[in-house]
Amino acid sequence: MEAALRLTLPTAEHREEISAYRQEFLDSGDSMDGTGALRRLADPVEWLAATEQCRSGENVPSGWVQATQFLCVRETDGRVVGMIQVRHRFSPFLKEYGGHIGYSVRPSERRKGYAAWMLNAVKPFCRSIGLSAILVTCLAGNEASRRTILKNGGVYDTTVHEPVENEDIERYWISLEE
Ligand SMILES: CC(C)(COP(=O)(O)OP(=O)(O)OC[C@H]1O[C@@H](n2cnc3c(N)ncnc32)[C@H](O)[C@@H]1OP(=O)(O)O)[C@@H](O)C(=O)NCCC(=O)NCCS
C-alpha cells in the first residue's frame, strides 16, 4: 500500500468529507458499514453529535452500545477514504451477528489495501479498552470483507443465519494477544 493513512476521531473539520463519503455510498447503493447512523443523518453535525454520544457511552440510544467511531484519513490530501467503528461490548445482536467491528471503504478508493490497513490499525485501540479478541463478521459471499478479516488473522468460528434480513453471516475471531 502506497499512501500513508491515519485513524482519527471525527471532528467538525471533517464535515465536508463526511458528507462526500455519505453521498458516494448513496450513489453506489452500497452498505455504509461501520459508520453508525450516517445513512439516516444527512447533516454531518448531527452525525458528529450522535457519534460522540455513542463514544461517551452516556444516553446511548436503546439497542445500541458504547462505540468509538474512527475516520481513516489519507495524509496526502486529507480525504476520508474509510470508516471503522469499534463496539466496546456486545448487545445480543452484536454477539451473534454484528461483532465488535464495522468498516467500509469509499467505493472510489477500494482495492488499495485500505480496509486491511484499517482493521490492523484499530487493534491497539481495541486492546486499550480491554478486549483480548475481537469478533468480526461478514455476509457469506462478501469476499472482500472475508479476505480483509483473514489478512488480519481472523479464525473462522461459525456461519449463522440472521432471520430479519434473511442472511447468512460468517463469524471470525481475531486474537489481540501479542
Ligand atoms: C469490504 C471493503 C471494506 C473492502 O475494502 P478495500 O479497501 O477494497 O479492501 P482491501 O483493498 O484492503 O482488500 C482486502 C482484501 O480483499 C480483497 N478484495 C478487495 N475487494 C475485493 C473484491 N471486490 N472481490 C474479491 N476480493 C476483494 C483484496 O484483494 C484483499 O485480499 P488479498 O490481499 O488477499 O488479495 C469494501 O469493499 C467495502 O466498503 N464494502 C462495503 C461495506 C462492507 O462490506 N463492509 C464490510 C462489512 S463486514
Side-chain angles (χ1 to χ4, degrees):
M1 201 189 67
E2 307 260 312
L5 305 174
R6 78 187 140 87
L7 291 185
T8 185
L9 296 177
T11 67
E13 72 173 294
H14 302 111
R15 277 196 314 262
E16 284 179 20
E17 277 296 309
I18 292 163
S19 288
Y21 193 89
R22 178 175 183 274
Q23 192 57 49
E24 214 175 298
F25 278 80
L26 292 178
D27 292 345
S28 70
D30 266 10
S31 173
M32 282 186 218
D33 295 307
T35 67
L38 188 61
R39 179 171 292 278
R40 184 167 57 79
L41 299 177
D43 180 349
V45 174
E46 280 183 40
W47 181 79
L48 285 164
T51 296
E52 181 50 31
Q53 200 175 14
C54 270
R55 190 175 78 86
S56 73
E58 287 164 23
N59 304 315
V60 171
S62 162
W64 290 53
V65 300
Q66 184 177 11
T68 298
Q69 176 74 54
F70 293 96
L71 305 180
C72 180
V73 177
R74 187 163 55 204
E75 299 280 13
T76 46
D77 57 2
R79 193 165 206 226
V80 172
V81 295
M83 295 202 193
I84 187 162
Q85 188 196 45
V86 179
R87 297 110 191 196
H88 294 216
R89 58 183 180 78
F90 284 149
S91 63
F93 176 85
L94 293 175
K95 183 174 184 186
E96 194 66 8
Y97 308 115
H100 286 108
I101 311 277
Y103 51 84
S104 54
V105 167
R106 209 165 160 150
S108 59
E109 299 288 352
R110 293 201 180 145
R111 304 217 69 158
K112 298 179 179 176
Y114 291 170
W117 182 91
M118 287 198 299
L119 187 51
N120 186 52
V122 88
K123 289 175 184 170
F125 174 78
C126 295
R127 284 189 198 101
S128 79
I129 57 169
L131 300 174
S132 55
I134 46 176
L135 177 68
V136 189
T137 68
C138 67
L139 287 182
N142 187 343
E143 185 65 11
S145 188
R146 194 175 70 83
R147 289 174 77 140
T148 300
I149 296 167
L150 291 175
K151 276 190 93 168
N152 273 280
V155 176
Y156 176 75
D157 182 283
T158 41
T159 300
V160 290
H161 185 74
E162 197 281 297
V164 177
E165 301 289 335
N166 190 26
E167 291 167 336
D168 287 333
I169 294 178
E170 295 179 4
R171 306 166 76 252
Y172 295 82
W173 283 95
I174 299 176
S175 170
L176 299 177
E177 307 285 344
E178 285 174 305

